[in-house]
Amino acid sequence: MLATLADAPLDDPNLVYEPKYDGIRALVTLTPSGEVSIASRLGNDKTAQFPEIVAAFAGWARKSAGALLLDGEIVALGPDGVPLGFGRLQERIHLVAARDVARRAATQPVALVVFDLLREGNTDLCGLPLRERRVRLEAALESAPAGVIRLSRQVVGDGAALMAEAQAEGWEGLIAKDARSVYRPGKRTPEWRKLKLVQRQEFVVGGWTEPRGSRSRFGSLILGLAADRGRGDVSPDLLRYVGHVGSGFSDETLKALGARLDTLARAECPFDVVPPSNETPHWVTPRLVVEVRFAEWTADGHLRHPIFIGLRDDIAPTSVVREAPPPSSA
């Protein structure tokens, strides 16, 4: 179930408020025998990439948890155990070899913040109201090992203090959820609403530019959104240019992302209109999705001051659209 970017009151008795955790959305399946699997929202298997989450769940599941299907967010942790931003997960999500995963896990710990319970034993809970699922979730996780497995913070009816904390701490925002809502798998619905404090969203990569000076691999990524061919025919293989992003990359990210770009190289420009560029452009098949923070949209639909946050391998290019609040009905 996905949230819609929309306003919501901070004092509604039918709403619950949670921090907008800045990580990788994950569905975790537990079996009574202790088997654990982790999947992204696209269904990609993430089990081997986060062995500490698997280890934390496995022993507990055998002892007391039983069969569960949990919805949550994998977040990077700082030295004090406080969740960090999505960018800190970048160096982990590309790893495949067990040795590399273990080495990175030792220097960049993670936790799973759980916010919903979709199945308990053989019982599908999606048709229950959120408030009832939350009660069951809290009971299910009561004996879970602390630290790696965490229950999401939730405030009922009054989110003003949580919003003030979000502003003071520089969070991405809050999620406001209707406590009466059932769980709608795969659906983006206003029953869950994103209250964003910063402008950031996903974009599709259509190309890259030559680097300047000592910069390696590429100078910037050329970003777009699915273009309209006319009469409502929107194609993810044809992009509308929204801007270049050239800042926010570590040397390791430049190397890893550059290798991915090489595999997608093509001669034809994937944009409906060839974008302007200060350096030589190279085109790629639009399959990579990146998350970007930016100051604002310009009047001509371009990004002002974009900064790269990370590569999203858990989001399909076909689902990426410009996020905007729905028009007011007033």
Side-chain angles (χ1 to χ4, degrees):
M1 185 165 173
L2 305 173
T4 298
L5 181 62
D7 290 332
L10 293 177
D11 57 350
D12 187 325
N14 291 316
L15 294 180
V16 297
Y17 305 89
E18 299 176 357
K20 188 178 187 305
Y21 295 101
D22 190 12
I24 298 173
R25 186 75 174 273
L27 290 174
V28 179
T29 302
L30 311 181
T31 70
S33 62
E35 295 177 357
V36 182
S37 62
I38 304 172
S40 74
R41 62 186 253 196
L42 277 184
N44 295 328
D45 186 8
K46 295 290 182 181
T47 309
Q49 290 178 315
F50 299 102
E52 62 267 63
I53 296 177
V54 174
F57 271 123
W60 173 65
R62 283 192 296 268
K63 293 178 182 178
S64 59
L68 299 174
L69 177 59
L70 303 165
D71 190 359
E73 192 94 357
I74 298 172
V75 297
L77 299 178
D80 53 1
V82 174
L84 302 173
F86 172 73
R88 294 295 292 272
L89 286 174
Q90 282 295 288
E91 295 177 354
R92 291 200 58 171
I93 64 176
H94 304 297
L95 301 178
V96 177
R99 179 185 301 177
D100 294 336
V101 171
R103 183 169 59 248
R104 186 62 68 183
T107 60
Q108 181 51 79
V110 300
L112 177 78
V113 182
V114 184
F115 49 73
D116 220 325
L117 177 59
L118 310 186
R119 191 172 65 243
E120 189 172 26
N122 294 323
T123 304
D124 185 341
L125 305 182
C126 291
L128 294 180
L130 173 59
R131 60 166 61 96
E132 294 185 31
R133 300 198 307 274
R134 178 72 182 199
V135 170
R136 292 188 180 225
L137 175 63
E138 292 177 359
L141 294 185
E142 186 175 8
S143 62
V148 177
I149 304 170
R150 305 182 178 191
L151 183 68
S152 67
R153 292 178 61 184
Q154 189 180 89
V155 177
V156 179
D158 186 352
L162 194 62
M163 177 60 83
E165 184 179 353
Q167 293 169 331
E169 298 294 330
W171 300 353
E172 186 183 351
L174 301 183
I175 301 290
K177 300 177 179 179
D178 192 322
R180 302 162 296 183
S181 62
V182 301
Y183 191 96
R184 307 182 190 279
K187 302 295 183 183
R188 190 175 297 279
T189 165
E191 292 170 316
W192 288 12
R193 283 174 272 181
K194 291 184 284 190
L195 310 180
K196 284 194 173 184
L197 295 177
V198 296
Q199 292 261 39
R200 57 187 281 182
Q201 74 153 85
E202 298 81 28
F203 298 96
V204 182
V205 179
W208 53 277
T209 62
E210 290 283 346
R212 293 178 178 178
S214 61
R215 182 73 170 262
S216 64
R217 297 301 301 188
F218 59 86
S220 65
L221 300 178
I222 309 173
L223 307 178
L225 294 170
D228 192 336
R229 297 177 184 269
R231 298 184 179 180
D233 178 18
V234 177
S235 170
D237 290 320
L238 182 67
L239 301 179
R240 175 178 59 81
Y241 171 72
V242 298
H244 288 58
V245 59
S247 61
F249 302 99
S250 67
D251 289 342
E252 190 165 346
T253 299
L254 285 168
K255 181 179 178 181
L257 192 48
R260 296 284 295 274
L261 292 169
D262 288 345
T263 67
L264 296 171
R266 59 185 264 182
E268 303 82 9
C269 173
F271 294 89
D272 55 358
V273 176
V274 177
S277 180
N278 292 328
E279 300 294 335
T280 302
H282 299 266
W283 310 119
V284 298
T285 302
R287 294 292 179 268
L288 296 183
V289 175
V290 296
E291 187 165 350
V292 170
R293 182 172 70 245
F294 57 100
E296 62 180 350
W297 288 98
T298 65
D300 56 355
H302 295 163
L303 304 175
R304 190 184 302 279
H305 306 311
I307 299 174
F308 175 83
I309 300 297
L311 178 67
R312 304 299 313 223
D313 66 348
D314 57 336
I315 296 175
T318 52
S319 69
V320 177
V321 297
R322 175 171 171 172
E323 288 190 346
S328 172
S329 58

